[in-house]
Amino acid sequence: MVFVTAYNEYAVTAFENQAIDYLLKPLEKIRLEKTVQRIKKLLSSESTDTSQQTQLQAMFSQLMQSNNLASSNAYLKWIKASKNNHIYMIDVDDVDYFIADNKYTEVTAGQQKHLIKTSITHLESELEPDTFWRIHRNCIVRVDTIDHVSKDDLGHVYIYLKGSDEKLSVSRKYHHLFKQM
Protein backbone atom coordinates (compact mmCIF):
# COMPACT_ATOMS: atom_id res chain seq x y z
CA MET A 1 0.00 0.00 0.00
CA VAL A 2 1.03 3.56 -0.69
CA PHE A 3 -0.78 6.21 1.30
CA VAL A 4 -1.38 9.58 -0.35
CA THR A 5 -2.80 12.22 1.95
CA ALA A 6 -2.47 15.84 3.02
CA TYR A 7 -2.05 14.82 6.66
CA ASN A 8 1.25 13.62 8.05
CA GLU A 9 -0.19 12.49 11.41
CA TYR A 10 -1.31 9.15 9.92
CA ALA A 11 2.16 8.09 8.76
CA VAL A 12 2.91 5.87 11.77
CA THR A 13 -0.41 4.05 11.36
CA ALA A 14 0.28 3.59 7.65
CA PHE A 15 3.65 1.97 8.26
CA GLU A 16 2.21 -0.17 11.07
CA ASN A 17 -0.10 -1.51 8.34
CA GLN A 18 2.83 -2.43 6.07
CA ALA A 19 2.72 0.68 3.86
CA ILE A 20 5.35 0.78 1.15
CA ASP A 21 5.40 4.55 1.23
CA TYR A 22 3.54 7.62 2.51
CA LEU A 23 3.14 10.61 0.18
CA LEU A 24 1.99 14.04 1.26
CA LYS A 25 -0.13 16.32 -0.89
CA PRO A 26 0.56 18.37 -2.87
CA LEU A 27 2.51 15.64 -4.61
CA GLU A 28 6.04 16.46 -5.63
CA LYS A 29 7.21 14.78 -8.80
CA ILE A 30 10.63 13.80 -7.40
CA ARG A 31 9.06 12.22 -4.32
CA LEU A 32 6.52 10.34 -6.46
CA GLU A 33 9.29 9.04 -8.71
CA LYS A 34 11.12 7.66 -5.64
CA THR A 35 7.98 5.76 -4.68
CA VAL A 36 7.67 4.37 -8.21
CA GLN A 37 11.30 3.21 -8.04
CA ARG A 38 10.66 1.55 -4.67
CA ILE A 39 7.72 -0.39 -6.12
CA LYS A 40 9.72 -1.38 -9.20
CA LYS A 41 12.43 -2.74 -6.92
CA LEU A 42 9.88 -4.75 -4.95
CA LEU A 43 8.35 -6.09 -8.20
CA SER A 44 11.71 -7.31 -9.40
CA SER A 45 12.49 -8.97 -6.07
CA GLU A 46 12.44 -12.78 -6.21
CA SER A 47 11.21 -13.01 -2.61
CA THR A 48 7.88 -11.34 -3.45
CA ASP A 49 5.06 -13.91 -3.79
CA THR A 50 2.56 -13.92 -6.67
CA SER A 51 -0.32 -12.24 -4.81
CA GLN A 52 2.00 -9.49 -3.56
CA GLN A 53 3.32 -8.98 -7.09
CA THR A 54 -0.24 -8.64 -8.41
CA GLN A 55 -1.01 -6.04 -5.74
CA LEU A 56 2.24 -4.22 -6.43
CA GLN A 57 1.57 -4.24 -10.17
CA ALA A 58 -1.86 -2.66 -9.60
CA MET A 59 -0.32 -0.10 -7.25
CA PHE A 60 2.40 0.66 -9.76
CA SER A 61 -0.20 1.32 -12.49
CA GLN A 62 -2.11 3.68 -10.20
CA LEU A 63 1.06 5.55 -9.28
CA MET A 64 2.06 5.94 -12.90
CA GLN A 65 -1.37 7.48 -13.59
CA SER A 66 -0.89 9.77 -10.58
CA ASN A 67 2.56 10.69 -11.83
CA ASN A 68 1.09 11.72 -15.19
CA LEU A 69 -1.61 13.74 -13.43
CA ALA A 70 0.90 15.31 -11.06
CA SER A 71 3.19 16.40 -13.86
CA SER A 72 0.37 17.87 -15.95
CA ASN A 73 -1.41 19.57 -13.02
CA ALA A 74 1.56 20.30 -10.81
CA TYR A 75 1.23 24.06 -10.80
CA LEU A 76 -1.19 26.26 -8.92
CA LYS A 77 -4.25 27.35 -10.93
CA TRP A 78 -6.36 29.21 -8.36
CA ILE A 79 -5.65 31.20 -5.22
CA LYS A 80 -8.14 31.58 -2.40
CA ALA A 81 -7.55 35.04 -0.99
CA SER A 82 -9.27 37.06 1.69
CA LYS A 83 -10.29 40.69 1.60
CA ASN A 84 -12.72 42.45 3.92
CA ASN A 85 -14.07 39.18 5.39
CA HIS A 86 -14.70 37.70 1.92
CA ILE A 87 -12.91 34.88 0.14
CA TYR A 88 -12.03 35.50 -3.51
CA MET A 89 -11.01 32.91 -6.09
CA ILE A 90 -8.21 34.43 -8.14
CA ASP A 91 -7.04 32.81 -11.35
CA VAL A 92 -3.24 32.62 -11.21
CA ASP A 93 -3.14 33.92 -14.79
CA ASP A 94 -4.64 37.20 -13.51
CA VAL A 95 -1.97 37.74 -10.85
CA ASP A 96 0.60 40.45 -11.55
CA TYR A 97 2.84 39.78 -8.55
CA PHE A 98 3.09 38.45 -5.01
CA ILE A 99 4.85 40.39 -2.25
CA ALA A 100 5.55 39.20 1.30
CA ASP A 101 4.05 41.30 4.07
CA ASN A 102 4.98 40.00 7.55
CA LYS A 103 3.32 36.59 7.92
CA TYR A 104 1.02 37.18 4.95
CA THR A 105 1.57 37.51 1.23
CA GLU A 106 -0.16 40.24 -0.74
CA VAL A 107 -1.52 39.13 -4.12
CA THR A 108 -1.87 41.88 -6.70
CA ALA A 109 -4.15 41.23 -9.68
CA GLY A 110 -4.80 44.37 -11.69
CA GLN A 111 -6.00 47.06 -9.29
CA GLN A 112 -7.04 44.47 -6.68
CA LYS A 113 -4.90 43.48 -3.69
CA HIS A 114 -5.66 40.46 -1.50
CA LEU A 115 -3.96 38.67 1.39
CA ILE A 116 -3.10 34.99 1.66
CA LYS A 117 -1.40 33.04 4.46
CA THR A 118 1.19 31.40 2.22
CA SER A 119 4.90 32.14 2.21
CA ILE A 120 6.71 33.37 -0.88
CA THR A 121 8.95 30.29 -0.77
CA HIS A 122 5.96 27.95 -0.77
CA LEU A 123 4.30 29.90 -3.58
CA GLU A 124 7.47 29.76 -5.64
CA SER A 125 7.39 25.95 -5.51
CA GLU A 126 3.74 25.87 -6.65
CA LEU A 127 3.96 28.40 -9.50
CA GLU A 128 5.05 27.60 -13.06
CA PRO A 129 8.71 28.77 -13.21
CA ASP A 130 8.55 29.97 -16.83
CA THR A 131 5.56 32.16 -15.98
CA PHE A 132 6.54 33.48 -12.54
CA TRP A 133 10.01 34.68 -11.55
CA ARG A 134 11.26 35.38 -8.09
CA ILE A 135 12.93 38.79 -8.21
CA HIS A 136 13.52 39.40 -4.52
CA ARG A 137 13.34 37.42 -1.29
CA ASN A 138 9.93 39.01 -0.78
CA CYS A 139 8.58 39.18 -4.36
CA ILE A 140 7.50 36.97 -7.26
CA VAL A 141 6.33 38.58 -10.51
CA ARG A 142 4.45 37.19 -13.53
CA VAL A 143 6.89 37.65 -16.39
CA ASP A 144 4.37 38.78 -19.00
CA THR A 145 3.32 41.73 -16.81
CA ILE A 146 6.81 43.26 -17.04
CA ASP A 147 6.88 46.32 -19.28
CA HIS A 148 10.53 47.22 -18.85
CA VAL A 149 13.47 46.98 -16.50
CA SER A 150 15.73 49.86 -15.52
CA LYS A 151 18.95 50.30 -13.62
CA ASP A 152 19.78 53.41 -11.58
CA ASP A 153 23.18 55.06 -11.10
CA LEU A 154 23.84 52.95 -8.01
CA GLY A 155 23.24 49.69 -9.91
CA HIS A 156 19.81 48.97 -8.40
CA VAL A 157 17.49 47.19 -10.82
CA TYR A 158 13.75 47.92 -10.95
CA ILE A 159 10.87 46.32 -12.84
CA TYR A 160 8.03 48.43 -14.20
CA LEU A 161 4.73 46.69 -14.87
CA LYS A 162 2.51 47.13 -17.93
CA GLY A 163 -0.37 49.54 -17.46
CA SER A 164 0.74 50.44 -13.95
CA ASP A 165 2.93 52.87 -12.04
CA GLU A 166 4.22 49.95 -9.96
CA LYS A 167 7.98 49.72 -9.58
CA LEU A 168 9.38 46.53 -8.03
CA SER A 169 12.92 46.20 -6.77
CA VAL A 170 15.10 43.33 -8.02
CA SER A 171 17.67 42.07 -5.52
CA ARG A 172 21.25 41.42 -6.66
CA LYS A 173 20.67 37.69 -6.36
CA TYR A 174 18.16 37.89 -9.23
CA HIS A 175 19.90 40.45 -11.49
CA HIS A 176 20.97 37.60 -13.79
CA LEU A 177 17.33 37.21 -14.92
CA PHE A 178 17.55 40.59 -16.62
CA LYS A 179 20.94 40.50 -18.28
CA GLN A 180 20.68 41.21 -21.99
CA MET A 181 20.81 38.00 -24.01
Side-chain angles (χ1 to χ4, degrees), residues 55 57 71 81 109 118 181:
Q55 286 178 328
Q57 194 65 49
S71 62
T118 306
M181 295 183 189

Side-chain angles (χ1 to χ4, degrees):
M1 266 186 284
V2 173
F3 286 80
V4 180
T5 179
Y7 307 99
N8 62 2
E9 63 261 21
Y10 302 113
V12 173
T13 305
F15 286 110
E16 285 174 350
N17 288 295
Q18 314 323 295
I20 293 170
D21 209 343
Y22 194 90
L23 300 172
L24 288 175
K25 294 179 183 177
L27 292 178
E28 294 176 4
K29 188 174 182 177
I30 293 170
R31 184 69 181 87
L32 189 58
E33 287 171 353
K34 285 182 182 178
T35 301
V36 168
Q37 292 305 317
R38 183 176 286 152
I39 291 173
K40 280 182 178 178
K41 187 175 179 181
L42 283 170
L43 280 170
S44 65
S45 170
E46 292 178 19
S47 64
T48 308
D49 68 34
T50 312
S51 66
Q52 277 183 312
Q53 279 196 333
T54 305
Q55 286 178 328
L56 285 170
Q57 194 65 49
M59 212 180 307
F60 181 72
S61 296
Q62 286 179 330
L63 276 172
M64 291 308 291
Q65 285 178 332
S66 295
N67 193 11
N68 290 338
L69 288 174
S71 62
S72 65
N73 297 324
Y75 300 114
L76 196 60
K77 302 281 187 223
W78 294 93
I79 295 172
K80 289 183 263 184
S82 62
K83 184 178 180 184
N84 300 331
N85 295 323
H86 297 344
I87 301 291
Y88 293 88
M89 296 300 292
I90 303 168
D91 187 331
V92 172
D93 293 335
D94 295 336
V95 173
D96 297 325
Y97 64 91
F98 301 90
I99 194 155
D101 183 20
N102 292 322
K103 60 182 179 177
Y104 294 95
T105 297
E106 187 178 89
V107 180
T108 301
Q111 300 301 316
Q112 299 292 313
K113 295 185 184 290
H114 303 276
L115 291 178
I116 58 175
K117 288 185 178 180
T118 306
S119 72
I120 288 288
T121 303
H122 184 73
L123 274 172
E124 183 179 26
S125 69
E126 292 192 338
L127 294 168
E128 209 282 311
D130 291 332
T131 305
F132 288 91
W133 289 354
R134 186 142 187 195
I135 61 164
H136 197 280
R137 67 178 169 82
N138 73 344
C139 188
I140 298 173
V141 67
R142 195 173 86 229
V143 178
D144 66 6
T145 64
I146 298 172
D147 183 49
H148 66 279
V149 179
S150 70
K151 190 180 211 180
D152 68 13
D153 294 337
L154 298 173
H156 299 121
V157 176
Y158 297 96
I159 289 176
Y160 294 85
L161 302 179
K162 295 176 184 172
S164 170
D165 294 334
E166 293 282 345
K167 175 172 97 171
L168 302 173
S169 178
V170 178
S171 69
R172 288 194 188 277
K173 180 178 180 179
Y174 300 102
H175 280 195
H176 69 278
L177 294 170
F178 303 101
K179 296 256 187 223
Q180 192 172 4
M181 295 183 189

